[in-house]
Tab-separated table of all heavy atoms in Angstrom:
chain	number	residue	atom	x	y	z
A	249	HIS	N	121.496	130.482	64.947
A	249	HIS	CA	120.340	131.173	64.354
A	249	HIS	C	119.292	130.204	63.765
A	249	HIS	O	118.154	130.564	63.668
A	249	HIS	CB	120.794	132.214	63.368
A	249	HIS	CG	121.379	131.673	62.131
A	249	HIS	ND1	120.574	131.192	61.074
A	249	HIS	CD2	122.662	131.482	61.772
A	249	HIS	CE1	121.444	130.777	60.098
A	249	HIS	NE2	122.672	130.914	60.478
A	250	TYR	N	119.743	128.989	63.494
A	250	TYR	CA	118.781	128.022	62.978
A	250	TYR	C	117.738	127.623	64.049
A	250	TYR	O	116.681	127.169	63.693
A	250	TYR	CB	119.467	126.738	62.518
A	250	TYR	CG	120.216	126.919	61.211
A	250	TYR	CD1	121.589	126.632	61.075
A	250	TYR	CD2	119.516	127.357	60.050
A	250	TYR	CE1	122.267	126.833	59.880
A	250	TYR	CE2	120.199	127.527	58.806
A	250	TYR	CZ	121.564	127.287	58.730
A	250	TYR	OH	122.212	127.395	57.557
A	251	ALA	N	118.111	127.819	65.306
A	251	ALA	CA	117.164	127.412	66.370
A	251	ALA	C	116.234	128.556	66.786
A	251	ALA	O	115.493	128.426	67.779
A	251	ALA	CB	118.004	126.972	67.565
A	252	THR	N	116.275	129.681	66.093
A	252	THR	CA	115.461	130.852	66.492
A	252	THR	C	114.014	130.490	66.710
A	252	THR	O	113.370	130.861	67.716
A	252	THR	CB	115.655	131.987	65.492
A	252	THR	OG1	117.018	132.438	65.468
A	252	THR	CG2	114.757	133.166	65.919
A	253	PRO	N	113.304	129.798	65.754
A	253	PRO	CA	111.928	129.437	65.970
A	253	PRO	C	111.675	128.610	67.234
A	253	PRO	O	110.715	128.808	67.944
A	253	PRO	CB	111.530	128.652	64.707
A	253	PRO	CG	112.528	129.052	63.692
A	253	PRO	CD	113.822	129.290	64.425
A	254	TRP	N	112.678	127.676	67.532
A	254	TRP	CA	112.533	126.904	68.718
A	254	TRP	C	112.619	127.750	69.959
A	254	TRP	O	111.823	127.593	70.919
A	254	TRP	CB	113.640	125.849	68.742
A	254	TRP	CG	113.426	124.777	67.709
A	254	TRP	CD1	113.359	124.850	66.346
A	254	TRP	CD2	113.343	123.361	68.030
A	254	TRP	NE1	113.199	123.614	65.769
A	254	TRP	CE2	113.221	122.669	66.742
A	254	TRP	CE3	113.377	122.618	69.200
A	254	TRP	CZ2	113.067	121.305	66.652
A	254	TRP	CZ3	113.263	121.220	69.126
A	254	TRP	CH2	113.176	120.606	67.826
A	255	ILE	N	113.640	128.566	69.980
A	255	ILE	CA	113.870	129.424	71.174
A	255	ILE	C	112.675	130.322	71.466
A	255	ILE	O	112.237	130.439	72.633
A	255	ILE	CB	115.149	130.279	71.004
A	255	ILE	CG1	116.381	129.330	70.885
A	255	ILE	CG2	115.289	131.210	72.176
A	255	ILE	CD1	117.672	130.033	70.528
A	256	LYS	N	112.133	130.962	70.466
A	256	LYS	CA	110.948	131.792	70.632
A	256	LYS	C	109.758	130.965	71.190
A	256	LYS	O	109.077	131.429	72.073
A	256	LYS	CB	110.550	132.442	69.275
A	256	LYS	CG	111.520	133.507	68.830
A	256	LYS	CD	111.082	134.166	67.538
A	256	LYS	CE	112.060	135.300	67.113
A	256	LYS	NZ	111.611	135.897	65.821
A	257	ARG	N	109.587	129.790	70.580
A	257	ARG	CA	108.426	128.965	71.082
A	257	ARG	C	108.662	128.539	72.512
A	257	ARG	O	107.740	128.503	73.331
A	257	ARG	CB	108.300	127.792	70.118
A	257	ARG	CG	107.235	126.788	70.454
A	257	ARG	CD	105.848	127.254	69.958
A	257	ARG	NE	104.909	126.131	70.044
A	257	ARG	CZ	104.627	125.265	69.069
A	257	ARG	NH1	105.291	125.424	67.880
A	257	ARG	NH2	103.797	124.337	69.224
A	258	LEU	N	109.870	128.173	72.831
A	258	LEU	CA	110.168	127.746	74.199
A	258	LEU	C	110.035	128.807	75.210
A	258	LEU	O	109.608	128.583	76.369
A	258	LEU	CB	111.602	127.065	74.242
A	258	LEU	CG	111.772	125.792	73.555
A	258	LEU	CD1	113.214	125.362	73.444
A	258	LEU	CD2	110.921	124.652	74.168
A	259	GLU	N	110.396	130.025	74.794
A	259	GLU	CA	110.242	131.175	75.695
A	259	GLU	C	108.844	131.527	76.007
A	259	GLU	O	108.458	131.865	77.127
A	259	GLU	CB	110.954	132.386	75.080
A	259	GLU	CG	112.463	132.354	75.153
A	259	GLU	CD	113.115	133.524	74.456
A	259	GLU	OE1	112.424	134.165	73.596
A	259	GLU	OE2	114.290	133.787	74.685
A	260	THR	N	107.936	131.371	75.015
A	260	THR	CA	106.550	131.704	75.186
A	260	THR	C	105.701	130.576	75.807
A	260	THR	O	104.858	130.767	76.676
A	260	THR	CB	105.887	132.158	73.887
A	260	THR	OG1	106.049	131.071	72.916
A	260	THR	CG2	106.564	133.406	73.348
A	261	ASP	N	105.938	129.326	75.343
A	261	ASP	CA	105.147	128.213	75.770
A	261	ASP	C	105.757	127.274	76.766
A	261	ASP	O	105.101	126.478	77.439
A	261	ASP	CB	104.721	127.316	74.517
A	261	ASP	CG	103.871	128.176	73.590
A	261	ASP	OD1	103.333	129.229	73.907
A	261	ASP	OD2	103.776	127.734	72.373
A	262	GLY	N	107.107	127.304	76.832
A	262	GLY	CA	107.771	126.439	77.754
A	262	GLY	C	107.946	124.972	77.325
A	262	GLY	O	108.525	124.177	77.968
A	263	ILE	N	107.320	124.665	76.139
A	263	ILE	CA	107.406	123.346	75.621
A	263	ILE	C	107.041	123.367	74.128
A	263	ILE	O	106.315	124.261	73.720
A	263	ILE	CB	106.462	122.331	76.337
A	263	ILE	CG1	106.739	120.921	75.975
A	263	ILE	CG2	104.981	122.724	76.100
A	263	ILE	CD1	105.993	119.897	76.823
A	264	ILE	N	107.596	122.490	73.407
A	264	ILE	CA	107.236	122.311	71.961
A	264	ILE	C	106.788	120.843	71.743
A	264	ILE	O	107.366	119.898	72.138
A	264	ILE	CB	108.468	122.513	70.990
A	264	ILE	CG1	108.922	123.995	71.060
A	264	ILE	CG2	108.144	122.130	69.567
A	264	ILE	CD1	110.255	124.240	70.329
A	265	VAL	N	105.542	120.780	71.175
A	265	VAL	CA	104.980	119.483	70.881
A	265	VAL	C	104.514	119.523	69.473
A	265	VAL	O	103.658	120.349	69.118
A	265	VAL	CB	103.838	119.033	71.809
A	265	VAL	CG1	103.244	117.737	71.336
A	265	VAL	CG2	104.252	118.963	73.237
A	266	ILE	N	105.119	118.795	68.541
A	266	ILE	CA	104.823	118.804	67.116
A	266	ILE	C	104.358	117.367	66.748
A	266	ILE	O	105.163	116.429	66.838
A	266	ILE	CB	106.020	119.211	66.262
A	266	ILE	CG1	106.496	120.600	66.659
A	266	ILE	CG2	105.596	119.216	64.788
A	266	ILE	CD1	107.766	121.044	65.958
A	267	ASN	N	103.129	117.258	66.368
A	267	ASN	CA	102.524	115.939	66.058
A	267	ASN	C	102.837	115.513	64.620
A	267	ASN	O	102.773	114.340	64.277
A	267	ASN	CB	101.055	115.908	66.297
A	267	ASN	CG	100.698	116.110	67.705
A	267	ASN	OD1	101.415	115.547	68.649
A	267	ASN	ND2	99.743	116.944	68.019
A	268	SER	N	103.122	116.456	63.751
A	268	SER	CA	103.500	116.164	62.342
A	268	SER	C	104.460	117.186	61.807
A	268	SER	O	104.221	118.340	61.870
A	268	SER	CB	102.205	116.155	61.470
A	268	SER	OG	102.517	115.966	60.149
A	269	LEU	N	105.597	116.705	61.313
A	269	LEU	CA	106.656	117.507	60.790
A	269	LEU	C	106.508	117.738	59.316
A	269	LEU	O	107.316	118.406	58.685
A	269	LEU	CB	108.025	116.938	61.096
A	269	LEU	CG	108.423	117.128	62.569
A	269	LEU	CD1	109.650	116.269	62.851
A	269	LEU	CD2	108.793	118.589	62.851
A	270	LYS	N	105.499	117.117	58.633
A	270	LYS	CA	105.336	117.267	57.245
A	270	LYS	C	105.103	118.720	56.874
A	270	LYS	O	104.203	119.397	57.356
A	270	LYS	CB	104.219	116.429	56.704
A	270	LYS	CG	104.507	114.972	56.755
A	270	LYS	CD	103.381	114.123	56.079
A	270	LYS	CE	103.782	112.652	56.030
A	270	LYS	NZ	102.702	111.862	55.408
A	271	GLY	N	105.964	119.306	56.016
A	271	GLY	CA	105.847	120.641	55.539
A	271	GLY	C	106.282	121.672	56.606
A	271	GLY	O	106.334	122.864	56.328
A	272	GLY	N	106.765	121.190	57.763
A	272	GLY	CA	107.160	122.158	58.812
A	272	GLY	C	108.652	122.364	58.755
A	272	GLY	O	109.363	122.068	59.729
A	273	HIS	N	109.119	122.953	57.702
A	273	HIS	CA	110.568	123.132	57.497
A	273	HIS	C	111.167	124.131	58.502
A	273	HIS	O	112.395	124.089	58.730
A	273	HIS	CB	110.835	123.627	56.034
A	273	HIS	CG	110.444	122.627	54.988
A	273	HIS	ND1	110.937	121.357	54.860
A	273	HIS	CD2	109.425	122.715	54.091
A	273	HIS	CE1	110.371	120.691	53.871
A	273	HIS	NE2	109.450	121.536	53.364
A	274	GLU	N	110.345	125.031	59.038
A	274	GLU	CA	110.927	125.920	60.020
A	274	GLU	C	111.350	125.246	61.263
A	274	GLU	O	112.144	125.814	62.046
A	274	GLU	CB	109.894	127.009	60.352
A	274	GLU	CG	108.705	126.501	61.189
A	274	GLU	CD	107.562	125.935	60.307
A	274	GLU	OE1	107.864	125.633	59.166
A	274	GLU	OE2	106.415	125.861	60.772
A	275	TRP	N	110.876	124.035	61.504
A	275	TRP	CA	111.305	123.274	62.684
A	275	TRP	C	112.551	122.472	62.449
A	275	TRP	O	113.178	121.944	63.350
A	275	TRP	CB	110.203	122.382	63.193
A	275	TRP	CG	108.970	123.148	63.518
A	275	TRP	CD1	107.747	123.211	62.904
A	275	TRP	CD2	108.802	124.081	64.608
A	275	TRP	NE1	106.903	124.074	63.495
A	275	TRP	CE2	107.530	124.629	64.566
A	275	TRP	CE3	109.689	124.519	65.630
A	275	TRP	CZ2	107.075	125.538	65.501
A	275	TRP	CZ3	109.229	125.449	66.589
A	275	TRP	CH2	107.963	125.949	66.487
A	276	ASN	N	112.936	122.262	61.187
A	276	ASN	CA	114.080	121.528	60.899
A	276	ASN	C	115.318	122.448	60.832
A	276	ASN	O	115.811	122.770	59.753
A	276	ASN	CB	113.905	120.778	59.570
A	276	ASN	CG	115.158	119.847	59.241
A	276	ASN	OD1	115.912	119.560	60.126
A	276	ASN	ND2	115.226	119.450	58.005
A	277	PHE	N	115.760	122.897	62.051
A	277	PHE	CA	116.797	123.871	62.041
A	277	PHE	C	118.200	123.267	61.693
A	277	PHE	O	119.125	124.007	61.475
A	277	PHE	CB	116.928	124.530	63.453
A	277	PHE	CG	117.245	123.558	64.528
A	277	PHE	CD1	118.502	123.181	64.822
A	277	PHE	CD2	116.232	123.052	65.397
A	277	PHE	CE1	118.821	122.275	65.806
A	277	PHE	CE2	116.495	122.183	66.333
A	277	PHE	CZ	117.811	121.792	66.626
A	278	MET	N	118.321	121.946	61.651
A	278	MET	CA	119.588	121.329	61.447
A	278	MET	C	119.766	121.025	60.017
A	278	MET	O	119.061	120.095	59.467
A	278	MET	CB	119.766	120.073	62.294
A	278	MET	CG	119.690	120.384	63.790
A	278	MET	SD	119.280	118.915	64.790
A	278	MET	CE	117.514	118.724	64.501
A	279	GLU	N	120.544	121.777	59.247
A	279	GLU	CA	120.659	121.603	57.830
A	279	GLU	C	121.090	120.192	57.459
A	279	GLU	O	120.666	119.662	56.438
A	279	GLU	CB	121.668	122.603	57.209
A	279	GLU	CG	121.132	124.035	57.178
A	279	GLU	CD	122.131	124.937	56.449
A	279	GLU	OE1	123.314	124.784	56.716
A	279	GLU	OE2	121.665	125.776	55.691
A	280	CYS	N	121.980	119.653	58.288
A	280	CYS	CA	122.505	118.272	57.965
A	280	CYS	C	121.617	117.172	58.574
A	280	CYS	O	121.982	116.021	58.500
A	280	CYS	CB	123.882	118.158	58.469
A	280	CYS	SG	124.053	118.513	60.280
A	281	HIS	N	120.482	117.570	59.146
A	281	HIS	CA	119.632	116.563	59.829
A	281	HIS	C	118.257	116.575	59.084
A	281	HIS	O	117.381	117.350	59.422
A	281	HIS	CB	119.454	116.890	61.277
A	281	HIS	CG	118.616	115.932	62.055
A	281	HIS	ND1	118.876	114.588	62.142
A	281	HIS	CD2	117.475	116.148	62.699
A	281	HIS	CE1	117.967	114.033	62.868
A	281	HIS	NE2	117.100	114.910	63.194
A	282	ASP	N	118.091	115.705	58.079
A	282	ASP	CA	116.876	115.647	57.322
A	282	ASP	C	115.892	114.775	58.107
A	282	ASP	O	116.040	113.565	58.199
A	282	ASP	CB	117.130	115.052	55.981
A	282	ASP	CG	115.909	115.086	55.070
A	282	ASP	OD1	114.769	115.069	55.565
A	282	ASP	OD2	116.052	115.206	53.866
A	283	VAL	N	114.876	115.436	58.731
A	283	VAL	CA	113.911	114.705	59.610
A	283	VAL	C	113.131	113.590	58.831
A	283	VAL	O	112.877	112.538	59.366
A	283	VAL	CB	112.976	115.643	60.354
A	283	VAL	CG1	113.746	116.496	61.318
A	283	VAL	CG2	112.176	116.516	59.315
A	284	GLU	N	112.830	113.983	57.592
A	284	GLU	CA	112.055	112.902	56.800
A	284	GLU	C	112.972	111.680	56.482
A	284	GLU	O	112.450	110.579	56.581
A	284	GLU	CB	111.538	113.582	55.540
A	284	GLU	CG	110.437	114.604	55.819
A	284	GLU	CD	109.842	115.120	54.463
A	284	GLU	OE1	110.236	114.618	53.418
A	284	GLU	OE2	109.013	116.033	54.568
A	285	GLN	N	114.206	111.996	56.169
A	285	GLN	CA	115.161	110.898	55.900
A	285	GLN	C	115.335	110.019	57.106
A	285	GLN	O	115.495	108.779	57.008
A	285	GLN	CB	116.440	111.429	55.366
A	285	GLN	CG	117.482	110.348	54.933
A	285	GLN	CD	118.750	110.899	54.401
A	285	GLN	OE1	118.865	112.132	54.229
A	285	GLN	NE2	119.693	110.081	54.149
A	286	GLN	N	115.370	110.664	58.291
A	286	GLN	CA	115.621	109.947	59.484
A	286	GLN	C	114.325	109.322	60.079
A	286	GLN	O	114.363	108.626	61.104
A	286	GLN	CB	116.233	110.912	60.604
A	286	GLN	CG	117.592	111.388	60.196
A	286	GLN	CD	118.589	110.289	60.000
A	286	GLN	OE1	118.564	109.229	60.633
A	286	GLN	NE2	119.547	110.459	59.078
A	287	GLY	N	113.205	109.519	59.391
A	287	GLY	CA	111.977	108.964	59.854
A	287	GLY	C	111.344	109.604	61.046
A	287	GLY	O	110.589	109.051	61.750
A	288	VAL	N	111.723	110.913	61.281
A	288	VAL	CA	111.178	111.644	62.364
A	288	VAL	C	109.870	112.314	61.913
A	288	VAL	O	109.875	113.177	61.050
A	288	VAL	CB	112.167	112.726	62.901
A	288	VAL	CG1	111.492	113.539	64.012
A	288	VAL	CG2	113.456	112.073	63.322
A	289	HIS	N	108.743	111.955	62.510
A	289	HIS	CA	107.458	112.519	62.154
A	289	HIS	C	106.834	113.306	63.263
A	289	HIS	O	105.861	114.058	63.034
A	289	HIS	CB	106.506	111.455	61.745
A	289	HIS	CG	106.415	110.288	62.672
A	289	HIS	ND1	105.728	110.373	63.880
A	289	HIS	CD2	106.994	109.019	62.671
A	289	HIS	CE1	105.839	109.221	64.514
A	289	HIS	NE2	106.573	108.375	63.846
A	290	SER	N	107.351	113.238	64.462
A	290	SER	CA	106.843	114.014	65.616
A	290	SER	C	107.933	114.211	66.616
A	290	SER	O	108.882	113.479	66.630
A	290	SER	CB	105.615	113.341	66.273
A	290	SER	OG	105.997	112.013	66.762
A	291	LEU	N	107.768	115.196	67.441
A	291	LEU	CA	108.805	115.473	68.431
A	291	LEU	C	108.272	116.357	69.549
A	291	LEU	O	107.185	116.959	69.415
A	291	LEU	CB	110.051	116.088	67.863
A	291	LEU	CG	109.978	117.431	67.188
A	291	LEU	CD1	109.997	118.614	68.156
A	291	LEU	CD2	111.106	117.618	66.219
A	292	MET	N	108.981	116.405	70.638
A	292	MET	CA	108.648	117.358	71.728
A	292	MET	C	109.998	117.813	72.316
A	292	MET	O	110.996	117.142	72.242
A	292	MET	CB	107.754	116.763	72.778
A	292	MET	CG	108.236	115.442	73.394
A	292	MET	SD	106.946	114.701	74.387
A	292	MET	CE	107.874	113.317	75.074
A	293	ALA	N	109.972	119.004	72.883
A	293	ALA	CA	111.197	119.544	73.481
A	293	ALA	C	110.818	120.522	74.622
A	293	ALA	O	109.744	121.104	74.610
A	293	ALA	CB	111.940	120.330	72.372
A	294	VAL	N	111.746	120.568	75.589
A	294	VAL	CA	111.604	121.526	76.697
A	294	VAL	C	112.966	122.271	76.888
A	294	VAL	O	113.977	121.728	76.509
A	294	VAL	CB	111.240	120.855	78.014
A	294	VAL	CG1	109.797	120.375	77.938
A	294	VAL	CG2	112.187	119.705	78.310
A	295	PRO	N	112.863	123.458	77.381
A	295	PRO	CA	114.111	124.294	77.482
A	295	PRO	C	114.993	123.915	78.643
A	295	PRO	O	114.566	123.487	79.704
A	295	PRO	CB	113.607	125.709	77.646
A	295	PRO	CG	112.316	125.507	78.344
A	295	PRO	CD	111.759	124.251	77.816
A	296	LEU	N	116.330	123.979	78.469
A	296	LEU	CA	117.291	123.947	79.521
A	296	LEU	C	117.684	125.390	79.892
A	296	LEU	O	118.029	126.163	79.020
A	296	LEU	CB	118.527	123.174	79.048
A	296	LEU	CG	119.729	123.122	79.963
A	296	LEU	CD1	119.314	122.291	81.200
A	296	LEU	CD2	120.896	122.520	79.317
A	297	ARG	N	117.490	125.752	81.148
A	297	ARG	CA	117.674	127.130	81.566
A	297	ARG	C	118.780	127.295	82.542
A	297	ARG	O	119.017	126.319	83.413
A	297	ARG	CB	116.381	127.694	82.175
A	297	ARG	CG	115.192	127.735	81.177
A	297	ARG	CD	113.933	128.321	81.869
A	297	ARG	NE	112.764	128.291	81.014
A	297	ARG	CZ	112.436	129.272	80.211
A	297	ARG	NH1	113.181	130.365	80.099
A	297	ARG	NH2	111.345	129.136	79.476
A	298	ALA	N	119.434	128.437	82.542
A	298	ALA	CA	120.340	128.845	83.630
A	298	ALA	C	119.725	130.131	84.157
A	298	ALA	O	119.639	131.144	83.461
A	298	ALA	CB	121.718	129.091	83.086
A	299	GLU	N	119.245	130.085	85.404
A	299	GLU	CA	118.408	131.171	85.912
A	299	GLU	C	117.187	131.196	85.039
A	299	GLU	O	116.458	130.248	84.898
A	299	GLU	CB	119.164	132.495	85.887
A	299	GLU	CG	120.423	132.465	86.769
A	299	GLU	CD	120.163	132.160	88.222
A	299	GLU	OE1	119.054	132.541	88.693
A	299	GLU	OE2	121.016	131.671	88.891
A	300	LYS	N	116.908	132.322	84.306
A	300	LYS	CA	115.742	132.427	83.455
A	300	LYS	C	116.100	132.341	81.950
A	300	LYS	O	115.257	132.396	81.094
A	300	LYS	CB	114.983	133.701	83.728
A	300	LYS	CG	114.354	133.740	85.123
A	300	LYS	CD	113.603	135.108	85.298
A	300	LYS	CE	112.947	135.072	86.686
A	300	LYS	NZ	112.169	136.358	86.852
A	301	LYS	N	117.356	132.204	81.700
A	301	LYS	CA	117.834	132.234	80.323
A	301	LYS	C	117.928	130.814	79.705
A	301	LYS	O	118.405	129.876	80.361
A	301	LYS	CB	119.212	132.847	80.236
A	301	LYS	CG	119.693	133.072	78.828
A	301	LYS	CD	121.042	133.868	78.884
A	301	LYS	CE	121.523	134.149	77.459
A	301	LYS	NZ	122.808	134.903	77.458
A	302	ILE	N	117.397	130.676	78.483
A	302	ILE	CA	117.486	129.356	77.801
A	302	ILE	C	118.947	129.151	77.302
A	302	ILE	O	119.429	129.967	76.490
A	302	ILE	CB	116.506	129.343	76.629
A	302	ILE	CG1	115.073	129.351	77.163
A	302	ILE	CG2	116.697	128.067	75.809
A	302	ILE	CD1	113.978	129.376	76.118
A	303	ILE	N	119.549	128.059	77.758
A	303	ILE	CA	120.898	127.746	77.301
A	303	ILE	C	120.983	126.436	76.543
A	303	ILE	O	122.036	125.927	76.198
A	303	ILE	CB	121.835	127.655	78.501
A	303	ILE	CG1	121.362	126.582	79.509
A	303	ILE	CG2	121.920	129.023	79.210
A	303	ILE	CD1	122.359	126.315	80.604
A	304	GLY	N	119.797	125.882	76.176
A	304	GLY	CA	119.759	124.633	75.419
A	304	GLY	C	118.391	124.086	75.498
A	304	GLY	O	117.444	124.701	75.971
A	305	PHE	N	118.233	122.850	75.033
A	305	PHE	CA	116.925	122.183	75.097
A	305	PHE	C	117.110	120.673	75.046
A	305	PHE	O	118.081	120.127	74.496
A	305	PHE	CB	115.969	122.666	74.040
A	305	PHE	CG	116.403	122.405	72.648
A	305	PHE	CD1	116.167	121.198	72.010
A	305	PHE	CD2	117.160	123.354	71.905
A	305	PHE	CE1	116.614	120.909	70.723
A	305	PHE	CE2	117.582	123.134	70.635
A	305	PHE	CZ	117.299	121.856	70.052
A	306	LEU	N	116.158	120.007	75.637
A	306	LEU	CA	116.059	118.521	75.537
A	306	LEU	C	114.998	118.170	74.491
A	306	LEU	O	113.880	118.685	74.546
A	306	LEU	CB	115.647	117.914	76.917
A	306	LEU	CG	115.457	116.408	76.893
A	306	LEU	CD1	116.830	115.721	76.920
A	306	LEU	CD2	114.604	116.012	78.097
A	307	GLY	N	115.274	117.325	73.564
A	307	GLY	CA	114.339	116.888	72.544
A	307	GLY	C	114.084	115.415	72.520
A	307	GLY	O	114.950	114.600	72.954
A	308	VAL	N	112.893	115.033	72.155
A	308	VAL	CA	112.446	113.601	72.072
A	308	VAL	C	111.803	113.411	70.681
A	308	VAL	O	110.845	114.093	70.385
A	308	VAL	CB	111.467	113.243	73.204
A	308	VAL	CG1	111.067	111.820	73.051
A	308	VAL	CG2	112.060	113.552	74.580
A	309	ASP	N	112.452	112.538	69.893
A	309	ASP	CA	111.889	112.244	68.544
A	309	ASP	C	110.916	111.079	68.600
A	309	ASP	O	111.199	110.074	69.210
A	309	ASP	CB	113.028	111.910	67.546
A	309	ASP	CG	113.802	113.151	67.182
A	309	ASP	OD1	113.355	114.285	67.458
A	309	ASP	OD2	114.915	113.008	66.546
A	310	ASN	N	109.816	111.222	67.890
A	310	ASN	CA	108.815	110.129	67.726
A	310	ASN	C	108.351	109.549	69.053
A	310	ASN	O	108.417	108.288	69.213
A	310	ASN	CB	109.339	109.076	66.749
A	310	ASN	CG	109.538	109.588	65.388
A	310	ASN	OD1	109.063	110.637	64.995
A	310	ASN	ND2	110.337	108.838	64.594
Side-chain angles (χ1 to χ4, degrees):
H249 66 83
Y250 285 123
T252 299
W254 288 59
I255 296 171
K256 289 181 178 179
R257 179 82 167 268
L258 291 171
E259 285 176 341
T260 56
D261 298 343
I263 190 170
I264 294 173
V265 178
I266 303 175
N267 295 318
S268 176
L269 284 167
K270 288 186 177 180
H273 299 296
E274 70 273 18
W275 299 111
N276 185 15
F277 62 80
M278 298 161 284
E279 286 186 318
C280 55
H281 180 60
D282 189 328
V283 292
E284 292 185 4
Q285 183 179 354
Q286 296 300 327
V288 179
H289 50 75
S290 61
L291 62 82
M292 55 190 184
V294 289
L296 176 65
R297 297 180 184 272
E299 300 298 332
K300 295 183 179 181
K301 187 175 183 179
I302 295 178
I303 60 171
F305 62 87
L306 176 79
V308 179
D309 286 348
N310 295 343

